[in-house]
């Protein structure tokens, strides 16, 4: 069984959804026969690199909502993250463009380190509050998961390195009609949109394994908008 996961490193529900999928797989009898592949998706391809703006202000500006409303929405996300053991620290979070981080993740995939780097990038952004567009920071994170420092520097300094691989993932997502992440595709046929409850992942995985007829969300029902109860959209 293969599960493809479209996500962005600055999407809170992508991290929450990742944890729920992991828990479902942990309890799955055939987990050793499941391959999970992370795909690139940018919530905002035109986002600027970190410029000192808080995540609260960035959300308020992007969706044209009051600052207090943005703070409340983020507080709700913090509570949800805690239910799966994640410590989200929004006050020092550094919203930024993630294209370069996605390119680095593609290099990591070529070295069979993409699973480790994906987790490292998510934790570093949401808990350690690092700047994911800073090359020096990214090189350090790459080293932390066992990637070659000099090769990581080479990749980051070459704007074209692994860019096509990132764009290919995004193009495939577009062909599926995906506008929000996390987005999970099982065996190239069945889809789950958003950080759904654990039971949804468990049920889908079991059904796909048994009969490849899981309950999934119709792609046409995905609406564009801000982070809601279970996903982030463009």
């Amino acid at each position: 069984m293969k599960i493809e996961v479209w996500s962005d490193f600055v999407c809170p529900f992508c991290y929450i959804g990742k944890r729920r999928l992991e828990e479902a797989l942990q309890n799955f009898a055939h987990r050793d026969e499941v391959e999970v592949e992370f795909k690139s998706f940018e919530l905002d391809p035109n986002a600027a690199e970190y410029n000192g703006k808080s995540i609260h202000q960035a959300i308020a500006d992007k969706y044209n909502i009051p600052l207090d409303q943005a703070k409340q929405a983020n507080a709700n996300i913090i509570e949800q993250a805690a239910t799966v053991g994640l410590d989200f620290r929004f006050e020092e979070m550094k919203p930024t463009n993630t294209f370069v981080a996605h390119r680095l993740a593609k290099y990591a995939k070529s070295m069979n380190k993409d699973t480790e780097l994906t987790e490292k990038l998510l934790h570093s952004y949401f808990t350690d509050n690092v700047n994911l567009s800073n090359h020096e920071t990214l090189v350090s994170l790459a080293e932390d998961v066992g990637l070659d420092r000099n090769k990581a520097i080479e990749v980051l300094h070459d704007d074209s390195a692994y860019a096509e691989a990132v764009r290919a993932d995004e193009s495939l997502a577009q062909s599926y009609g995906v506008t929000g992440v996390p987005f999970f595709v099982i065996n190239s046929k069945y889809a789950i949109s958003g950080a759904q409850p654990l039971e949804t992942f468990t049920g889908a995985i079991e059904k796909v394994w048994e009969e490849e007829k899981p309950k999934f969300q119709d792609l046409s029902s995905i609406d564009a908008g801000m982070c809601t109860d279970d996903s982030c959209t463009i």
Side-chain angles (χ1 to χ4, degrees), residues 126-143:
F126 285 103
T127 300
D128 296 337
N129 298 144
V130 306
N131 178 0
L132 292 187
S133 60
N134 181 277
H135 284 198
E136 184 176 343
T137 297
L138 289 172
V139 168
S140 294
L141 297 179
E143 280 191 294

Side-chain angles (χ1 to χ4, degrees), residues 4 9 15 28 32 35-36 53 57 61 71 74 77 97 112 126 128 175 196 201-202 204 210 217:
E4 296 168 292
F9 305 117
Y15 204 2
F28 182 51
D32 292 338
E35 175 190 358
V36 178
K53 182 182 291 187
Q57 191 62 58
D61 291 347
K71 288 182 177 181
N74 288 334
I77 294 172
N97 188 286
N112 296 317
F126 285 103
D128 296 337
S175 73
Q196 298 295 328
F201 288 104
T202 300
E210 294 174 3
Q217 178 170 341

Side-chain angles (χ1 to χ4, degrees), residues 130-174:
V130 306
N131 178 0
L132 292 187
S133 60
N134 181 277
H135 284 198
E136 184 176 343
T137 297
L138 289 172
V139 168
S140 294
L141 297 179
E143 280 191 294
D144 287 346
V145 300
L147 293 170
D148 181 78
R149 176 182 179 83
N150 291 329
K151 181 59 178 179
I153 291 174
E154 181 183 331
V155 169
L156 293 174
H157 285 177
D158 180 359
D159 292 341
S160 65
Y162 298 95
E164 288 187 7
V166 174
R167 296 307 184 204
D169 282 356
E170 295 175 337
S171 179
L172 183 56
Q174 186 176 27

Side-chain angles (χ1 to χ4, degrees), residues 16-207:
I16 294 171
K18 180 176 183 291
R19 279 292 183 271
R20 289 176 179 164
L21 173 63
E22 289 167 347
E23 185 175 353
L25 289 175
Q26 185 62 35
N27 297 323
F28 182 51
H30 307 284
R31 58 184 176 275
D32 292 338
E33 298 177 64
V34 179
E35 175 190 358
V36 178
E37 178 181 354
F38 290 93
K39 298 284 194 178
S40 298
F41 190 98
E42 296 172 88
L43 283 174
D44 185 0
N46 298 314
E49 293 187 356
Y50 178 61
N51 56 16
K53 182 182 291 187
S54 74
I55 186 63
H56 303 307
Q57 191 62 58
I59 293 295
D61 291 347
K62 181 176 181 179
Y63 299 108
N64 194 28
I65 60 175
L67 183 60
D68 286 346
Q69 185 178 341
K71 288 182 177 181
Q72 183 57 56
N74 288 334
N76 292 339
I77 294 172
I78 290 172
E79 291 181 3
Q80 288 197 48
T83 67
V84 291
L86 297 175
D87 179 16
F88 282 6
R89 302 175 184 178
F90 274 75
E91 292 306 320
E92 301 299 326
M93 205 170 286
K94 298 174 175 61
T96 190
N97 188 286
T98 57
F99 185 63
V100 67
H102 281 292
R103 289 199 299 106
L104 185 64
K106 287 304 179 186
Y107 160 58
K109 178 176 173 57
S110 74
M111 304 301 293
N112 296 317
K113 290 286 187 178
D114 53 319
T115 299
E116 293 91 336
L117 186 62
T118 293
E119 174 65 26
K120 190 71 174 180
L121 290 167
L122 287 164
H123 179 85
S124 296
Y125 179 75
F126 285 103
T127 300
D128 296 337
N129 298 144
V130 306
N131 178 0
L132 292 187
S133 60
N134 181 277
H135 284 198
E136 184 176 343
T137 297
L138 289 172
V139 168
S140 294
L141 297 179
E143 280 191 294
D144 287 346
V145 300
L147 293 170
D148 181 78
R149 176 182 179 83
N150 291 329
K151 181 59 178 179
I153 291 174
E154 181 183 331
V155 169
L156 293 174
H157 285 177
D158 180 359
D159 292 341
S160 65
Y162 298 95
E164 288 187 7
V166 174
R167 296 307 184 204
D169 282 356
E170 295 175 337
S171 179
L172 183 56
Q174 186 176 27
S175 73
Y176 285 158
V178 179
T179 58
V181 286
F183 193 82
F184 307 82
V185 176
I186 307 175
N187 282 3
S188 299
K189 296 179 180 180
Y190 311 107
I192 299 173
S193 177
Q196 298 295 328
L198 173 62
E199 295 77 12
T200 299
F201 288 104
T202 300
I205 291 168
E206 292 286 355
K207 288 184 179 180

